[in-house]
Amino acid sequence: MPDHPAQPHPALQPHPALQPHPALQALLAVRAEVAKAVVGQDAVVTGLLIALLSRGHVLLEGVPGVAKTLLVRALSAALSLDTKRVQFTPDLMPGDITGSLVYDAHSSEFSFREGPVFTNILLGDEINRTPPKTQASLLEAMEERQVSVDGVSRALPVPFMVAATQNPVEYEGTYPLPEAQLDRFLLKLTMPLPPREEEIEVVRRHSLGFDPRDLRAAGVQAVAGAAELAEARAGVAAVDIAPEIVAYIVDLVRATRAAPSFQLGVSPRGATALLNTSRAWAWLSGRSFVTPDDVKVLTLPALRHRVSLRPEAQMDGVKVDDVLLSILATVPAPR
């Protein structure tokens, strides 16, 4: 997989001069476990780990059949985390996600029945195929880590992350996510079609009997858990970020608001997302400080879903990622 300045580097390894923290070693081992079930997509796995470390959520975009669902399931298994899947459809109701009160005829009382959102990693397949009111039912869960039913707030498990998928090529019968909800996702990761060599490996594994529904048979084992994730989050919080790096992040974000091709630039929430994910990437790279390159690596995944192209730019075939790359090339980075 070729290097790309907008994606986490696929060859993620701790610095050889450092003695990596046990939690870091465990999280790095997660990628090897996921690779037993998913060919390639190392950059996306790293992005999901960054989101978990930053207490954020991820929007996965890719055409059907590139293993979006399998990747999330394999990641959950390698981290020994509970995961549940919701297939978003036009008739899905908010209570189908958050849970609802159910009348018990024996006790003559109402009891709360938890919905699938009560899990560690919620996989929401094709989130743009459900109406806005059901999409909005996730907002409180994503932002507050709780759901409120009948005036009672119920906390969600820790950790908690939403990994939502959407199809970028088929928009008939869909409900595009509004900007307010897109902004709740920490990262937007794209899953491209595999190159020829990786596609050959995918087909070869299936010819040998690989069953994507049986991760245990594929050899995927838990190599980390909630305890290692908590230690890792503490390590990320201790990563130092110099004032000039903070200023660089703000300059990048402000440049999106002045870009002629954008009718909507990145909000301050996007700046904090870029800061937090850069910290997580630095920690995963075995460093205790953030560099300008860390910021550059996360700029596209952290910002691409927080901007909106002008209609005339869309008609001219302008791509969001191209505009962001142009901004990266023009905004001076600190030395």
Side-chain angles (χ1 to χ4, degrees):
M1 181 176 179
D3 294 349
H4 192 293
Q7 294 285 357
H9 194 288
L12 177 63
Q13 295 293 340
H15 193 283
L18 301 176
Q19 291 297 325
H21 190 280
L24 175 57
Q25 290 180 312
L27 290 185
L28 292 175
V30 166
R31 293 194 320 146
E33 292 302 310
V34 174
K36 294 177 180 178
V38 180
V39 178
Q41 306 296 358
D42 287 346
V44 180
V45 175
T46 302
L48 288 168
L49 289 174
I50 288 173
L52 277 170
L53 292 175
S54 305
R55 296 176 173 83
H57 311 284
V58 173
L59 186 62
L60 291 172
E61 188 171 272
V63 298
V66 291
K68 297 186 294 293
T69 302
L70 176 61
L71 188 147
V72 173
R73 290 178 53 241
L75 179 70
S76 301
L79 286 169
S80 190
L81 297 177
D82 182 48
T83 183
K84 294 177 182 175
R85 176 181 176 272
V86 176
Q87 179 65 53
F88 284 88
T89 57
D91 60 348
L92 195 70
M93 299 298 291
D96 296 330
I97 298 174
T98 61
S100 57
L101 294 176
V102 178
Y103 182 73
D104 187 340
H106 296 287
S107 62
S108 299
E109 294 179 350
F110 285 92
S111 60
F112 179 70
R113 180 176 294 173
E114 294 183 347
V117 75
F118 286 86
T119 187
N120 296 125
I121 300 180
L122 176 66
L123 173 60
D125 262 341
E126 297 188 294
I127 190 173
N128 56 337
R129 292 204 175 278
T130 200
K133 71 174 182 179
T134 305
Q135 293 174 357
S137 67
L138 279 177
L139 282 177
E140 182 186 17
M142 293 170 66
E143 192 69 18
E144 307 295 336
R145 270 36 179 206
Q146 66 177 23
V147 296
S148 298
V149 177
D150 197 33
V152 178
S153 298
R154 295 173 171 86
L156 296 175
V158 179
F160 172 72
M161 180 178 77
V162 173
T165 73
Q166 65 178 14
N167 183 345
V169 295
E170 186 182 354
Y171 292 104
E172 184 177 352
T174 63
Y175 304 84
L177 293 173
E179 285 78 6
Q181 185 156 355
L182 283 171
D183 208 32
R184 295 302 198 280
F185 287 97
L186 184 72
L187 298 173
K188 179 181 178 181
L189 304 174
T190 57
M191 295 186 66
L193 289 168
R196 182 174 183 272
E197 294 75 13
E198 291 183 357
E199 192 164 3
I200 289 175
E201 176 61 19
V202 170
V203 177
R204 187 190 70 83
R205 290 187 183 188
H206 280 266
S207 72
L208 295 176
F210 171 71
D211 183 357
R213 292 172 291 274
D214 190 354
L215 293 177
R216 183 172 298 180
V220 179
Q221 299 179 350
V223 293
E228 287 81 7
L229 193 56
E231 292 180 23
R233 285 177 168 181
V236 170
V239 171
D240 182 60
I241 183 162
E244 56 268 25
I245 301 294
V246 174
Y248 178 52
I249 290 172
V250 171
D251 289 342
L252 288 172
V253 167
R254 293 178 68 86
T256 66
R257 302 170 196 162
S261 297
F262 289 155
Q263 66 178 358
L264 176 68
V266 178
S267 70
R269 179 185 286 143
T272 61
L274 185 52
L275 181 146
N276 292 332
T277 54
S278 298
R279 266 181 163 160
W281 172 246
W283 185 85
L284 282 171
S285 300
R287 284 181 280 101
S288 60
F289 58 90
V290 176
T291 69
D293 285 341
D294 297 328
V295 177
K296 293 177 181 179
V297 165
L298 272 304
T299 294
L300 265 65
L303 303 186
R304 58 162 61 107
H305 56 297
R306 305 175 193 271
V307 296
S308 178
L309 286 170
R310 295 186 184 277
E312 54 269 29
Q314 294 180 11
M315 294 180 63
D316 291 339
V318 175
K319 304 297 184 185
V320 167
D321 283 11
D322 292 337
V323 179
L324 290 175
L325 287 172
S326 176
I327 290 173
L328 278 173
T330 55
V331 175
R335 296 182 178 180

